[in-house]
Amino acid sequence: MNFWGIAWRGLAVVALLAVTSLAHAQAQGIKVGVVSFGRLLDEAPQSVASQRALQEEFAPRQRDLRAREEELKGMAQRLQEGEGFMGEEERRTLERDARDIQRELDRSKSEFAEDLSLRRNEELGRLQRMLVTEVQAFATNESYDVIISEAAGVVYASNAVDITERILETLRAKNTAGN
């Protein structure tokens, strides 16, 4: 069996264990929910508003870049049309100006892409924090014991299902007995 066959079989086992655990938890009266953060990020009104705000924030720079591209196209067209009629000095000046604009345009595009990426990441981080807080508040208000995300794992766990303290007690007891 190849690597992918083993990996899929392993995933199937994990999925089966998760479903079995959820069924067992619900049989014990534990309220479990599943949330799709991808869908929340796609469909939440806050996310849509954030995307719109980013577009508005970067629209002036994007328009400026397009205008510079059009200016450069115009220069290239003048060079091509004036091939036999343009004087040598005029042609060199136009070519030099076109190269300068191209360099500036390339630099501006790079800065634009970097700034946009930075702002998108900032907004995404802010949205993710807000969504986690909202899911946790919803879980508390609706008396859920565990909320699981398909991407992030457990997003919320009430004290009723948190076994950390019990495991720590066992470890402390073993540590004391071992000394």
Side-chain angles (χ1 to χ4, degrees), residues 22 32 36 54 61 67 73 114 126 129 147 165 174:
L22 284 174
V32 178
S36 169
L54 277 175
R61 285 176 66 185
K73 283 181 188 176
E114 187 177 316
R126 186 188 64 75
R129 288 186 299 277
I147 299 290
E165 187 59 38
K174 286 182 178 181

Side-chain angles (χ1 to χ4, degrees), residues 70-83 85-103:
E70 289 302 315
E71 180 183 0
L72 192 60
K73 283 181 188 176
M75 292 175 115
Q77 188 173 357
R78 277 186 299 190
L79 277 169
Q80 186 178 14
E81 289 172 352
E83 185 89 19
F85 307 105
M86 193 178 290
E88 186 66 26
E89 184 64 29
E90 183 182 1
R91 186 182 56 75
R92 273 191 301 227
T93 301
L94 192 56
E95 285 174 344
R96 185 183 64 243
D97 291 347
R99 277 192 310 273
D100 291 345
I101 290 173
Q102 182 65 56
R103 268 190 240 117

Side-chain angles (χ1 to χ4, degrees), residues 105-168:
L105 182 60
D106 291 344
R107 186 187 59 75
S108 295
K109 281 181 177 181
S110 177
E111 287 176 0
F112 176 82
E114 187 177 316
D115 292 347
L116 180 60
S117 179
L118 249 166
R119 283 289 292 125
R120 272 191 187 138
N121 289 338
E122 287 172 2
E123 282 299 306
L124 180 60
R126 186 188 64 75
L127 283 168
Q128 287 172 331
R129 288 186 299 277
M130 183 271 304
L131 289 174
V132 167
T133 300
E134 288 299 318
V135 168
Q136 290 171 340
F138 180 86
T140 301
N141 292 338
E142 297 290 323
S143 301
Y144 277 87
D145 293 301
V146 177
I147 299 290
I148 300 170
S149 165
E150 80 286 347
V154 176
V155 178
Y156 172 83
S158 72
N159 291 334
V161 295
D162 186 355
I163 61 170
T164 306
E165 187 59 38
R166 291 175 48 203
I167 293 173
L168 282 171

